[in-house]
């Protein structure tokens, strides 16, 4: 509820930054899931899978840096008169900005998962269902624990308060 109130009262540029964080997180999540799909579909090519995973660390680091920068420039982290009296000092406001950015990253990761499953053919009844099944390793099942670990790589560093 608090996030909804913050979103409704935010400046459009702040919302655009959060949307860009979610989009960057979705892009990195999709790259990581494609790497997992290739690794599960081609178990004999482990060297290629490791190389693809290493290639994903550059966009991952850039996205985490971008998310932290957005959290630091969030106007809601600036101290205002009277908020310290109710327990919302500068540290708590920074934690709130970090949590808000992590939620944006999590939203982007979930969009990436839905798009990946749609292109892989695991979600049925929509157009272009399974259009990239061969490229994404649809013949092999995805380990749920690996999907969860890969999709939490982007939001996890954002849980620490900026500053």
């Amino acid at each position: 509820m608090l996030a909804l109130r913050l979103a409704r009262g935010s400046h459009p540029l702040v919302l655009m930054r959060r949307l860009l964080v979610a989009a960057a997180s979705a892009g990195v999540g999709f790259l990581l899931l494609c790497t997992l799909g290739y690794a599960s579909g081609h178990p004999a090519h482990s060297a290629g899978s490791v190389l693809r995973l290493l290639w994903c660390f550059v966009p991952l680091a850039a996205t985490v840096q971008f998310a932290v920068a957005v959290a630091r420039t969030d106007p809601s982290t600036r101290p205002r008169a009277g908020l310290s009296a109710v327990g919302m000092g500068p540290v708590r406001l920074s934690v709130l900005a970090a949590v808000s950015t992590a939620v944006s990253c999590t939203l982007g990761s979930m969009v990436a998962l839905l798009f990946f499953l749609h292109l892989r053919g695991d979600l049925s009844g929509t157009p272009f269902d399974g259009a990239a099944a061969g490229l994404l390793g649809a013949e092999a099942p995805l380990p749920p624990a690996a999907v969860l670990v890969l999709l939490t790589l982007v939001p996890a560093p954002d849980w620490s308060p900026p500053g």
Side-chain angles (χ1 to χ4, degrees):
M1 188 65 162
L2 180 61
L4 180 62
R5 286 185 185 194
L6 288 174
R8 284 184 48 205
S10 292
H11 194 271
L13 289 177
V14 174
L15 295 175
M16 182 61 84
R17 280 187 256 159
R18 288 182 185 159
L19 184 64
L20 286 174
V21 167
S25 175
V28 170
F30 186 74
L31 282 175
L32 290 168
L33 287 171
C34 287
T35 302
L36 178 65
Y38 179 82
S40 65
H42 304 90
H45 299 25
S46 61
S49 299
V50 170
L51 185 64
R52 286 174 186 234
L53 185 62
L54 288 176
W55 183 84
C56 290
F57 282 124
V58 173
L60 176 67
T63 301
V64 168
Q65 180 65 28
F66 179 60
V68 169
V70 166
R72 285 185 179 164
T73 60
D74 195 355
S76 67
T77 61
R78 294 190 185 99
R80 287 168 278 195
L83 286 180
S84 293
V86 294
M88 292 299 286
V91 174
R92 290 243 177 136
L93 289 174
S94 295
V95 169
L96 184 64
V99 169
S100 175
T101 305
V103 167
S104 296
C105 288
T106 304
L107 176 69
S109 294
M110 292 302 109
V111 168
L113 178 63
L114 288 174
F115 188 65
F116 176 78
L117 291 176
H118 171 67
L119 287 179
R120 195 168 187 255
D122 292 339
L123 300 177
S124 59
T126 54
F128 304 112
D129 186 33
L135 294 172
L136 301 176
E139 62 275 355
L142 288 176
V147 170
L148 183 66
V149 167
L150 287 178
L151 289 180
T152 57
L153 282 178
V154 179
D158 298 324
W159 288 99
S160 62

